[in-house]
């Protein structure tokens, strides 16, 4: 056990004890694979704005924001106030509700690719539904996915299957071989999100769109993460007109959500041919939270988030270089990824926790509107200190001393 692990265990004894209890009743002790890390994840008990606390009383600045979904941080007052009020009069009905109309209007007003919208409970479900729509609309079965891409936790979109084809991301030359007239849909993100926040070359996306149009394959643009980065979505920013738009995360204001947007003509399959249900689709808590969150995410807030992220990412890269580590920082809008060599990824994550920063174990971080300039300065200083810890632990390993 190295120094950083020992320090983390010393700071989080209660989480350590509880981990055994969690493991008894939850596989791996968690409810999603990404929530686990070694030696065990700290048990979080509250979140306010940009701060979270664990059960041992440690405070962290949250730059993970539940994997980009909490764009306004935790317990954002406009969301909690509206949801609390809605709770008083019932939060789920097997019927149309005005809150569904309000959120659907907010989405269709904002995102040009979403002329109509069908709500789901997660981005994963939205991706599955888009695949069904594409197959119904084209009568074809093949789906093209890109290496490093992620469209949710479902076998057919994760693995190689009989109906999936994979292609390298950002490689225009490979498109001709994979996108042909047997393809129902091509799923692509504007940047590889869980694949390391690697932005697409806009020309790659444009060529892909052209190729889809030429072959009749549906161009499915996955903005589950990217939606927060541009007022009208990244598709509008890049001048793309996807057939289907996958949405999620921020449009639920922190509650479980997903949605498929598209032209009315295409979504018309849901008006008969294709059955699509979900007990909690369009529930009032999610709809209400989504309305409040989108309302508060106007163009100027997005510009501020993106500007701060740009500044922070260059500071983090400089701080990394100053310690002699091989650090690079990639960014798309307000989402960043700090890349270090594989053998230092978990050390950096633990070092960040010890410096009071809650980031993704894999290296991703993102900003929320709850972070002000002062707090972002603290984040920068904490990363600099964490890089030093990693550089130091590397030195001690290299010299054979375990301190
Ligand atoms: C690009 C992208 N698509 C789809 C999903 C799946 O969304 P969910 O986790 O809500 O199922 C994610 C989740 O991280 C994502 O980043």
């Amino acid at each position: 056990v190295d120094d950083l692990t020992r320090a983390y265990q010393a700071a989080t004894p209660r989480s350590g004890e509880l981990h055994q209890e969690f493991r008894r009743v939850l596989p791996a002790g968690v409810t999603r694979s990404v929530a686990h890390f070694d030696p065990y994840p700290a048990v979080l008990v509250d979140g306010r704005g940009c701060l979270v606390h664990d059960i041992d009383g440690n405070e962290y600045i949250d730059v993970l924001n539940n994997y980009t979904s909490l764009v306004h941080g935790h317990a954002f007052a406009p969301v909690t106030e509206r949801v609390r009020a809605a709770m008083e009069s019932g939060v789920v009905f097997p019927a149309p509700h005005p809150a569904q109309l309000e959120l659907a209007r907010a989405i269709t007003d904002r995102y040009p690719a979403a002329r109509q919208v069908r709500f789901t409970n997660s981005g994963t479900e939205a991706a599955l539904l888009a695949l069904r729509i594409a197959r119904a609309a084209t009568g074809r079965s093949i789906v093209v996915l890109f290496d490093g891409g992620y469209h949710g936790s479902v076998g057919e979109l994760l693995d190689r299957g009989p109906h999936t084809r994979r292609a390298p991301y950002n490689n225009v030359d490979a498109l001709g071989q994979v996108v042909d007239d047997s393809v129902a849909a091509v799923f692509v993100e504007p940047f590889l999100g869980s694949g390391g926040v690697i932005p697409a070359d806009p020309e790659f996306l444009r060529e892909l769109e052209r190729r889809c149009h030429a072959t009749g394959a549906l161009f499915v643009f996955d903005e589950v993460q990217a939606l927060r980065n541009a007022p009208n979505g990244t598709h509008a920013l890049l001048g793309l007109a996807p057939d289907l738009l996958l949405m999620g995360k921020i449009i639920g204001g922190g509650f479980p959500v997903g949605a498929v947007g598209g032209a009315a003509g295409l979504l018309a399959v849901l008006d008969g041919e294709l059955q699509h249900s979900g007990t909690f689709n369009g529930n009032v808590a999610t709809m209400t939270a989504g309305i409040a969150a989108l309302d508060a995410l106007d163009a100027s807030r997005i510009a501020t988030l993106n500007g701060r992220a740009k500044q922070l990412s260059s500071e983090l890269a400089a701080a990394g270089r100053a310690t002699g580590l091989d650090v690079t920082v990639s960014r798309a809008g307000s989402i960043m990824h700090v890349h270090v060599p594989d053998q230092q990824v978990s050390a950096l994550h633990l070092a960040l926790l010890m410096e009071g920063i809650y980031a993704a174990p894999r290296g991703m971080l993102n900003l929320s509107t709850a972070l002000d300039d002062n707090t972002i300065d603290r984040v920068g200083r904490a990363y600099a200190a964490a890089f030093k810890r990693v550089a130091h632990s590397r030195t001690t390993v290299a010299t054979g001393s375990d301190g």
Side-chain angles (χ1 to χ4, degrees):
V1 180
D2 59 59
D3 287 354
L4 283 167
T5 306
R6 257 198 297 271
Y8 175 73
Q9 286 169 321
T12 57
R14 186 75 189 119
S15 285
E17 283 159 28
L18 276 178
H19 185 56
Q20 301 311 322
E21 298 294 316
F22 274 82
R23 286 198 86 101
R24 249 191 279 287
V25 285
L26 295 161
V30 288
T31 62
R32 54 212 274 206
S33 300
V34 290
H36 178 77
F37 57 85
D38 287 331
Y40 51 79
V43 176
L44 296 187
V45 290
D46 71 63
R48 304 275 152 86
C50 65
L51 298 177
V52 291
H53 291 97
D54 70 18
I55 201 162
D56 286 288
N58 299 299
E59 181 172 281
Y60 308 92
I61 299 174
D62 188 2
V63 289
L64 183 46
N65 295 305
N66 196 30
Y67 285 83
T68 76
S69 61
L70 296 171
V71 70
H72 301 297
H74 297 266
F76 179 54
V79 166
T80 52
E81 279 157 20
R82 285 191 70 156
V83 173
R84 198 176 288 124
M87 300 262 283
E88 299 295 329
S89 44
V91 288
V92 67
F93 304 96
H97 184 283
Q100 297 163 352
L101 186 60
E102 201 182 337
L103 183 57
R105 279 185 175 147
I107 288 172
T108 54
D109 282 350
R110 247 172 124 119
Y111 305 120
R115 298 296 83 231
Q116 285 196 331
V117 58
R118 169 59 67 94
F119 291 113
T120 62
N121 300 297
S122 66
T124 300
E125 284 179 37
L128 268 178
L129 176 60
L131 187 54
R132 292 182 63 218
I133 293 170
R135 285 177 171 159
T138 61
R140 307 169 181 175
S141 52
I142 303 288
V143 56
V144 171
L145 306 166
F146 291 96
D147 295 339
Y150 181 66
H151 308 285
S153 208
V154 56
E156 186 161 18
L157 298 174
L158 280 174
D159 312 321
R160 273 177 201 279
H163 301 298
T164 55
R165 263 184 217 162
R166 289 205 164 264
Y169 194 67
N170 266 343
N171 184 332
V172 174
D173 298 335
L175 295 177
Q177 285 140 44
V178 287
V179 187
D180 58 27
D181 61 11
S182 67
V183 172
V186 177
F187 280 59
V188 70
E189 294 163 90
F191 57 93
L192 297 178
S194 68
V197 191
I198 311 294
D201 174 350
E203 196 39 44
F204 165 72
L205 295 175
R206 285 190 200 108
E207 181 54 30
L208 180 58
E209 182 178 62
R210 275 194 289 273
R211 192 79 212 143
C212 286
H213 288 166
T215 57
L218 295 200
F219 181 47
V220 182
F221 206 54
D222 185 343
E223 292 215 44
V224 169
Q225 272 194 48
L227 228 40
R228 59 155 46 219
N229 286 343
N232 304 108
T234 303
H235 63 289
L237 190 71
L238 298 178
L240 298 167
D243 297 300
L244 293 174
L245 180 69
L246 302 186
M247 296 169 276
K249 305 218 194 241
I250 64 160
I251 63 161
F255 283 76
V257 79
V260 177
L266 199 50
L267 296 195
V269 289
L270 293 167
D271 192 1
E273 190 183 333
L274 217 60
Q275 288 288 310
H276 168 255
S277 288
T279 305
F280 299 102
N281 290 357
N283 74 80
V284 185
T286 296
M287 299 294 105
T288 305
I291 294 159
L294 280 185
D295 228 25
L297 194 68
D298 57 16
S300 88
R301 285 220 169 81
I302 291 175
T304 303
L305 282 174
N306 294 353
R308 285 171 165 168
K310 186 175 181 193
Q311 165 84 18
L312 179 63
S313 54
S314 49
E315 283 170 20
L316 298 189
R321 278 194 301 274
T323 52
L325 294 178
D326 179 13
V327 175
T328 54
V329 182
S330 58
R331 180 181 71 89
S334 54
I335 307 177
M336 295 153 276
H337 194 113
V338 175
H339 302 263
V340 294
D342 285 351
Q343 65 276 19
Q344 290 166 2
V345 172
S346 71
L348 176 59
H349 175 240
L350 287 181
L352 285 167
L353 289 171
M354 299 316 299
E355 295 296 337
I357 298 294
Y358 202 87
R362 65 175 181 245
M364 185 269 282
L365 70 152
N366 62 89
L367 301 186
S368 73
T369 60
L371 286 152
D372 59 19
D373 284 328
N374 281 339
T375 322
I376 295 176
D377 281 348
R378 274 169 62 200
V379 172
R381 286 196 299 275
Y383 266 84
F387 290 140
K388 281 192 191 131
R389 281 186 188 248
V390 174
H392 175 73
S393 71
R394 191 179 59 162
T395 318
T396 52
V397 170
T399 57
S401 153
D402 66 1

